[in-house]
Amino acid sequence: EEARVFTSKAVKEETHVLRCVFAAVVMCVGITACGPTVYRPAPEDVQKERERLTARSQEYYRQQKERVERIGKQLLAQTINPPNIEFLVVEGEQNVNAGATFGKIMVTAGMLHFARSDDELAMVLGHELGHHTQSHIGKALASSVLATIAINAAAIAAGVGGGPYAAQGAGQLASGLIGGAVNSYNQKQELEADVVGLGYAAAAGYNPEVAADLFERMAVEVPQTLTADFTVSHPSSPERILAIRKAAEAIIAKGVYVDCDVVIGDNWMV
């Protein structure tokens, strides 16, 4: 009798286990059956969407180019003997940057996003225009050529009686010293371009006070700019912020920017 009762319990437990397993299987099947339906659009629909987005992108950059050219022309109008400058937008480039070369000023898509207003963008473009009007581009090229000649001369001089390793070491030493001098000079150029560009922007009707805000946001989001040393071409953000803030105060106090094309010696501050 006891054996019969034990067998009955075992059968019931086994039945219960089987029911649980069955329920679990049914649940898994149900979940699978009720899963998300993946929609794969037809290739022709994908192509139409691609064309629509491409048209939007092209229109966006057309508007941005017009914006940059409009502000650029207003800045050029503030210069004496305006240089012939082409303003370019580097589409799709997300680095926050702008640059100047012979006859061109370029601004990246990343910078267009970073500059929150036309006032801030005018400061950026004005800075690059300042490199043109202050002849920084030609000076930088000349400095580069002179540095190369000096490095080679130092290497040759040190190589006399010193063997090839002496020449190599002297060349590296000369490269470091001259490179540091050139970069230090470029730091001054950057400060000059900040002030001169700020003057152009203010004279064109843009708010000069936003320049310090622009550099401060740059310092916060790109903390590498917080410091600079003898081998870095750009001044640190704190230095630029303090200098540009003082320049903006001077511009506002005067009401007009005076002698924005003239920077004499170390007296670059307005």
Side-chain angles (χ1 to χ4, degrees):
E1 184 69 26
E2 288 181 0
R4 193 178 301 168
V5 172
F6 177 79
T7 303
S8 176
K9 286 183 178 180
V11 170
K12 288 182 180 179
E13 289 178 357
E14 184 177 352
T15 303
H16 178 71
V17 170
L18 290 175
R19 285 178 179 174
C20 290
V21 171
F22 179 75
V25 170
V26 171
M27 185 178 294
C28 290
V29 172
I31 291 174
T32 303
C34 298
T37 301
V38 178
Y39 170 70
R40 296 299 300 271
E44 56 270 23
D45 293 334
V46 173
Q47 180 59 29
K48 288 180 181 178
E49 186 68 5
R50 181 180 295 112
E51 292 172 355
R52 183 184 72 83
L53 294 173
T54 299
R56 283 195 62 188
S57 176
Q58 291 173 344
E59 176 62 17
Y60 168 77
Y61 280 110
R62 184 192 66 78
Q63 293 178 3
Q64 291 301 315
K65 192 172 189 304
E66 286 184 354
R67 176 191 178 202
V68 169
E69 289 178 340
R70 168 177 53 81
I71 296 174
K73 288 178 180 177
Q74 292 173 337
L75 298 175
L76 282 170
Q78 313 310 316
T79 67
I80 299 172
N81 299 322
N84 185 20
I85 301 292
E86 180 184 8
F87 292 90
L88 303 174
V89 173
V90 186
E91 300 180 10
E93 177 53 66
Q94 294 307 309
N95 284 331
V96 179
N97 207 352
T101 185
F102 292 100
K104 300 183 190 308
I105 289 177
M106 297 153 288
V107 59
T108 65
M111 178 59 81
L112 292 175
H113 284 294
F114 188 79
R116 294 179 176 175
S117 64
D118 283 2
D119 290 307
E120 290 190 354
L121 184 55
M123 304 303 144
V124 174
L125 296 176
H127 172 93
E128 301 304 334
L129 180 57
H131 282 311
H132 280 279
T133 59
Q134 301 304 302
S135 303
H136 292 166
I137 299 171
K139 290 176 183 177
L141 179 62
S143 296
S144 176
V145 172
L146 290 174
T148 301
I149 293 172
I151 290 168
N152 291 335
I156 292 171
V160 177
Y165 296 105
Q168 182 181 4
Q172 292 173 346
L173 176 61
S175 177
L177 291 174
I178 295 174
V182 170
N183 285 331
S184 179
Y185 177 65
N186 285 339
Q187 287 186 14
K188 181 182 173 184
Q189 287 180 328
E190 293 297 335
L191 293 172
E192 288 177 348
D194 282 348
V195 175
V196 172
L198 185 70
Y200 294 147
Y206 294 100
N207 181 10
E209 292 179 301
V210 304
D213 297 334
L214 180 71
F215 283 127
E216 182 164 340
R217 201 163 66 250
M218 178 72 74
V220 171
E221 297 186 21
V222 188
Q224 293 88 341
T225 65
L226 288 172
T227 60
D229 55 35
F230 190 59
T231 62
V232 177
S233 62
H234 283 66
S236 67
S237 289
E239 183 178 2
R240 297 182 83 175
I241 290 169
L242 292 173
I244 206 73
R245 187 177 291 143
K246 185 175 180 181
E249 291 171 355
I251 289 172
I252 293 170
K254 291 181 178 179
V256 213
Y257 186 67
V258 181
D259 295 333
C260 58
D261 273 351
V262 180
V263 179
I264 303 174
D266 293 329
N267 299 319
W268 52 267
M269 182 61 71
V270 180

